[in-house]
Amino acid sequence: MKEKATQASFPRALFTMLGMLSGTQATDKEVRGMMKALPAMSAMMETFMLEPDIREVGLPFLEIQSSYLQNLSNAHKEGKKIAFENFNFPPAILYAMDVVPLSPEVISSFLSIGVPKGIFRFLDYTSGIGIPETMCTAQRGGVGVILSGLIEKPDMVLNMASGSCDTNSKMFDFISEYLHIPFCNIDAPPYWDEGGEMIKYYQQEYRKLVAFLEEQTGNKLDEDKLRQCCKEAQKQDEYVAEIYDLRRAVPNPVPAIFNFMMFGTRFMSSGTPQATKVMETMYEVVKERYKKGEGVLPREKARAGFVYLGHFTMGGEFWRWLEHNGISLIMEGLAILGHQHYTIDTSTVDTMLDSLAGQAHNNIMTKQIRGPLDYPGQWFEDIATLSKDLNLDCAIYLGTLGCKNTWGGIKVLMKMIEEELEIPTLIMHSDSWDDRVTPWPTIRDQIEEFINTVVVQ
Amino acid sequence: MIVAGCDVGSLTAEAVIMSDGEILSSEIIGVRPKPEQSAKDVMDKALQKAHLALEDIDYCVSTGYGRERIPFARDNISEISCHGKGAHWLIPSVRTVIDVGGQDCKVIRVDANGKLQNFIMNDKCAAGTGRFLEVMAKTLGIRLDEIGPLSLAARNPVVITNMCSIYAQTEVAASIAQGADQHDLAAGITKAMAERVNSLVVRVGVEEDVVITGGVAKNIGVVKSLEVMLRVSTKKFNVDPQIVGALGGALFAKEKFLQK
């Protein structure tokens, strides 16, 4: 498939559109007008812009998306290097070294939510060049966009959340070989010992990363810049922790879409002032609601926990639909697991690198969904703690068919949740980025059925 | 008090009319293009059989795919709830309900009080649904209701491996071309169908007593194969297993009428 006809226009069109939307100070009436004028993006606008409270966070969030694409588009013109990297690696260190992050999962999610039929043609494109359909969908879509030339090609590959998933890690090898670009692989042992040898090993690997980045960019790591990024990241984490505390309230004051905006912001722009603005605004909105005693829903039919992903198609209807159906989204794995209570010690370069390594190490795909299912503090224990703390009524799994690590343990996890936490569970055999596997209306109907017949009786 | 349940599915529609805990009448028809018409036609037939008029019905609950578009229904409830309810009323010892309909398949777990515990549905294609059998009957050139009895006399069932109805049809066509015996073909088809259903059942687990509802419950070949795979003997209803969803609707109608 050749995409050259649209090669130049694609990123420009998307970031222009996102920039235009984020730059507006639209009223409800104006948003409705834009939705009519741009029907293909109206669902996305409804998700991020229609409701005033959501819009307050949605606009700076769209601005982050726009900047992310614009940075990619301008990188080479500005003499900066682009790094193909993991979504679950906090990119503060890259911003500190003037390296532009390019995460395929972020690109997939932009398109999947923003455009009808999202990443379908890019998934087909990757199949065409030999990437199996059983690999991670979120990666394949973004890789399809990159390899078909619609976005600037990366200059290096950084696999910094090694161990998160075998097929996910394999894609980094592939990209390096396919594009003939250098590859830095941060290794992690296949066991877990919080505070022990494993984290020390992982922290040492971060020194390797810095050396690699210095070699590739020709720049030395600027301590002050790193400190500035770490301080921003610390502020963001504090807001996330504050918002977490407010999730305990009944009814929950955190809008469902804030979960997506929370992890989306973190994955795209952790360490930047823009990200701090989004997190701060989010916290202010939630705090105000809480002070007024307003929940997102006046009455919560069920407090739902999604142990891994949400669903990233149809303009983000997933998050709106939950609330329209009385389901309060209390936990979405990507937004909560591994995000809270991390202190970044900004005393020295070493302490900052150790803190960042610790943070990356604790992320969902690097910790909970990795290796054996029975080491302390892994997936079940973390879900159990959250479930009790946040008073969950049920646990639901949505994933992608390519996510071998979650599929390898999900049935065991759900059985443990049912038996030990005594809450009902639902496993959906769907793909969060590809509605051709199981259509969104089918997923929606089954979740509704589960909530109405098994959870609420 | 006279109550009714109306189940408008993808291939058939059913109506059940009840009074004082007794089934007065029930009907099954093939669906019309619009659910409203299917509901009206099947209910008219059931009313006629019971010598009643629509005005005599105190409360009606609809279920099935078309449940939200039934004008005379005062409420609608999901098929999962209705099948669980109907099956538990007929056989209180039931714990696992396998409903194999025209275009979907569900496995429902209920507790001793008939309360829903868990469920699973096929979520991808026609594999493990009545449509699969329809396609195969057409390929064999026989009636749908002939497949089950034919399969019982098989000596060497053909092996059908594909999950997809279209590819499975290709496998059957290839076996026909190789001269396979019709009994063996029918047995291969019912076994393949049972395997699809079994793959769902094992995901929620089996607890006895087990019943099968829906149109496919009338296919003796599928039922026998499934019993072998599950290592259980399924309990049989004293009513048509295809009306269990509508019956559940009628039972809910009674509860709702009494709550008023």
Side-chain angles (χ1 to χ4, degrees), chain A residues 411 418 424-426 428-430 437-439 442 446 449-450 453-454 457, chain B residues 67 78-81 115-124 202-204:
Chain A
K411 187 71 188 180
E418 282 178 5
T425 67
L426 174 71
M428 282 301 307
H429 291 246
S430 57
V437 174
T438 303
T442 304
Q446 291 204 28
E449 188 76 53
F450 169 71
T453 59
V454 179
Q457 295 195 51
Chain B
R67 70 177 189 260
S78 79
E79 295 151 88
I80 288 177
S81 297
K115 189 177 155 190
L116 286 169
Q117 295 291 293
N118 202 352
F119 73 92
I120 194 162
M121 293 174 74
N122 70 317
D123 45 17
K124 285 180 181 56
V202 295
R203 275 153 61 181
V204 288

Side-chain angles (χ1 to χ4, degrees), chain B:
Chain B
M1 173 188 38
I2 301 174
V3 293
C6 186
D7 180 357
V8 180
S10 54
L11 293 181
T12 60
E14 296 85 20
V16 168
I17 297 172
M18 295 184 80
S19 177
D20 300 326
E22 296 284 331
I23 297 175
L24 294 182
S25 73
S26 66
E27 268 297 337
I28 303 169
I29 63 166
V31 289
R32 318 298 190 231
K34 290 188 176 177
E36 299 91 320
Q37 193 60 48
S38 302
K40 184 182 178 307
D41 289 356
V42 74
M43 187 55 79
D44 282 349
K45 282 189 154 198
L47 287 166
Q48 200 177 3
K49 203 190 258 184
H51 308 292
L52 292 169
L54 192 58
E55 296 72 43
D56 298 323
I57 304 290
D58 292 305
Y59 208 104
C60 176
V61 165
S62 59
T63 187
Y65 283 119
R67 70 177 189 260
E68 285 168 9
R69 300 183 58 188
I70 313 304
F72 53 80
R74 297 188 47 187
D75 223 324
N76 73 79
I77 291 176
S78 79
E79 295 151 88
I80 288 177
S81 297
C82 286
H83 278 270
K85 186 88 170 172
H88 187 261
W89 186 78
L90 289 165
I91 301 176
S93 59
V94 72
R95 297 292 177 272
T96 309
V97 182
I98 302 168
D99 171 45
V100 192
Q103 286 186 3
D104 71 8
C105 176
K106 312 171 200 70
V107 184
I108 305 157
R109 291 280 301 273
V110 294
D111 68 12
N113 300 313
K115 189 177 155 190
L116 286 169
Q117 295 291 293
N118 202 352
F119 73 92
I120 194 162
M121 293 174 74
N122 70 317
D123 45 17
K124 285 180 181 56
C125 62
T129 73
R131 182 68 83 188
F132 177 83
L133 287 179
E134 275 194 356
V135 170
M136 294 307 151
K138 202 171 171 187
T139 309
L140 290 183
I142 58 175
R143 290 197 321 271
L144 181 61
D145 60 5
E146 289 178 300
I147 294 183
L150 269 177
S151 71
L152 298 181
R155 290 183 172 202
N156 186 21
V158 297
V159 176
I160 297 167
T161 55
N162 220 292
M163 291 288 283
C164 165
S165 298
I166 305 300
Y167 285 134
Q169 189 181 16
T170 308
E171 282 187 81
V172 171
S175 296
I176 293 170
Q178 286 166 2
D181 177 78
Q182 203 168 35
H183 298 90
D184 292 342
L185 281 164
I189 290 164
T190 53
K191 194 172 173 211
M193 170 84 185
E195 281 166 354
R196 314 291 185 264
V197 177
N198 184 50
S199 72
L200 279 185
V201 179
V202 295
R203 275 153 61 181
V204 288
V206 182
E207 188 183 340
E208 291 187 79
D209 288 336
V210 180
V211 295
I212 306 177
T213 65
V216 177
K218 292 190 267 192
N219 185 308
I220 185 70
V222 176
V223 172
K224 290 275 180 210
S225 291
L226 197 52
E227 286 180 335
V228 170
M229 285 169 204
L230 298 174
R231 296 179 189 168
V232 297
S233 176
T234 59
K235 294 279 176 188
K236 307 295 183 294
F237 297 115
N238 57 5
V239 299
D240 189 319
Q242 213 167 345
I243 67 161
V244 175
L247 171 64
L251 293 165
F252 275 119
K254 181 185 171 188
E255 286 178 4
K256 290 200 173 267
F257 182 75
L258 292 174
Q259 280 166 12
K260 268 178 43 182

Side-chain angles (χ1 to χ4, degrees), chain A residues 343-396:
Chain A
T343 302
I344 301 179
D345 181 347
T346 55
S347 320
T348 65
V349 169
D350 279 336
T351 61
M352 287 189 275
L353 290 178
D354 286 351
S355 299
L356 289 172
Q359 201 172 35
H361 180 59
N362 198 40
N363 253 336
I364 179 164
M365 300 273 296
T366 352
K367 184 192 174 194
Q368 286 87 6
I369 303 166
R370 189 177 81 84
L373 197 66
D374 58 353
Y375 55 65
Q378 213 222 18
W379 207 2
F380 174 71
E381 276 198 17
D382 283 1
I383 296 283
T385 305
L386 292 165
S387 173
K388 287 171 193 162
D389 195 30
L390 300 173
N391 198 16
L392 297 183
D393 294 322
C394 59
I396 301 173

Side-chain angles (χ1 to χ4, degrees), chain A residues 3 25 31 86 103 113 163 174 177 197 201 206 220 231 244 262 278 290 305-306 339 353 383 411 417 447:
Chain A
E3 298 282 356
Q25 293 298 319
V31 172
N86 312 67
S103 154
I113 290 180
F174 170 80
E177 288 288 323
E197 287 307 307
Y201 181 94
Y206 263 58
K220 293 296 282 179
K231 283 183 175 171
Y244 173 86
M262 192 179 284
V278 169
Y290 176 73
F306 285 74
H339 280 227
L353 290 178
I383 296 283
K411 187 71 188 180
I417 290 174
I447 295 174

Side-chain angles (χ1 to χ4, degrees), chain A residues 94-156:
Chain A
L94 300 181
Y95 287 115
M97 293 196 74
D98 259 349
V99 173
V100 176
L102 169 54
S103 154
E105 292 92 344
V106 166
I107 300 295
S108 287
S109 302
F110 278 170
L111 284 174
S112 227
I113 290 180
V115 183
K117 297 197 178 177
I119 55 172
F120 296 174
R121 66 186 172 131
F122 302 108
L123 295 174
D124 295 342
Y125 177 85
T126 56
S127 298
I129 59 172
I131 298 172
E133 290 177 350
T134 47
M135 286 182 78
C136 173
T137 316
Q139 260 190 335
R140 285 189 296 125
V143 164
V145 173
I146 297 161
L147 296 186
S148 56
L150 301 185
I151 255 176
E152 291 286 310
K153 292 223 168 28
D155 304 293
M156 65 184 97

Side-chain angles (χ1 to χ4, degrees), chain A residues 239-445:
Chain A
Y239 287 125
V240 170
E242 293 290 344
I243 294 169
Y244 173 86
D245 284 346
L246 297 175
R247 289 177 196 267
R248 296 189 181 106
V250 180
N252 159 44
V254 186
I257 187 63
F258 279 15
N259 289 276
F260 174 73
M261 292 199 261
M262 192 179 284
F263 63 77
T265 298
R266 190 168 199 198
F267 296 157
M268 282 187 287
S269 58
S270 164
T272 68
Q274 275 183 310
T276 308
K277 185 181 164 192
V278 169
M279 299 298 197
E280 185 183 3
T281 315
M282 201 180 290
Y283 172 58
E284 291 301 327
V285 169
V286 174
K287 191 174 67 179
E288 271 313 297
R289 285 190 174 204
Y290 176 73
K291 273 186 188 168
K292 289 184 206 159
E294 279 177 14
V296 176
L297 299 161
R299 196 187 69 83
E300 293 173 333
K301 190 195 284 181
R303 290 170 69 86
F306 285 74
V307 296
Y308 182 36
L309 302 175
H311 193 77
F312 305 95
T313 69
M314 309 286 283
E317 192 189 305
F318 166 75
W319 295 280
R320 279 185 280 125
W321 176 84
L322 288 174
E323 285 171 1
H324 290 169
N325 284 275
I327 304 164
S328 193
L329 178 61
I330 305 296
M331 183 189 85
E332 189 174 342
L334 288 183
I336 288 195
L337 291 167
H339 280 227
Q340 63 274 54
H341 314 310
Y342 250 89
T343 302
I344 301 179
D345 181 347
T346 55
S347 320
T348 65
V349 169
D350 279 336
T351 61
M352 287 189 275
L353 290 178
D354 286 351
S355 299
L356 289 172
Q359 201 172 35
H361 180 59
N362 198 40
N363 253 336
I364 179 164
M365 300 273 296
T366 352
K367 184 192 174 194
Q368 286 87 6
I369 303 166
R370 189 177 81 84
L373 197 66
D374 58 353
Y375 55 65
Q378 213 222 18
W379 207 2
F380 174 71
E381 276 198 17
D382 283 1
I383 296 283
T385 305
L386 292 165
S387 173
K388 287 171 193 162
D389 195 30
L390 300 173
N391 198 16
L392 297 183
D393 294 322
C394 59
I396 301 173
Y397 171 84
L398 300 176
T400 98
L401 294 188
C403 190
K404 307 290 185 290
N405 286 28
T406 56
W407 278 114
I410 191 61
K411 187 71 188 180
V412 179
L413 175 82
M414 291 310 217
K415 197 166 177 227
M416 288 166 88
I417 290 174
E418 282 178 5
E419 287 173 0
E420 295 183 33
L421 307 181
E422 295 182 341
I423 58 172
T425 67
L426 174 71
I427 300 173
M428 282 301 307
H429 291 246
S430 57
D431 192 306
S432 292
W433 287 268
D434 190 353
D435 281 352
R436 296 172 301 183
V437 174
T438 303
W440 163 241
T442 304
I443 300 167
R444 194 180 59 195
D445 289 351

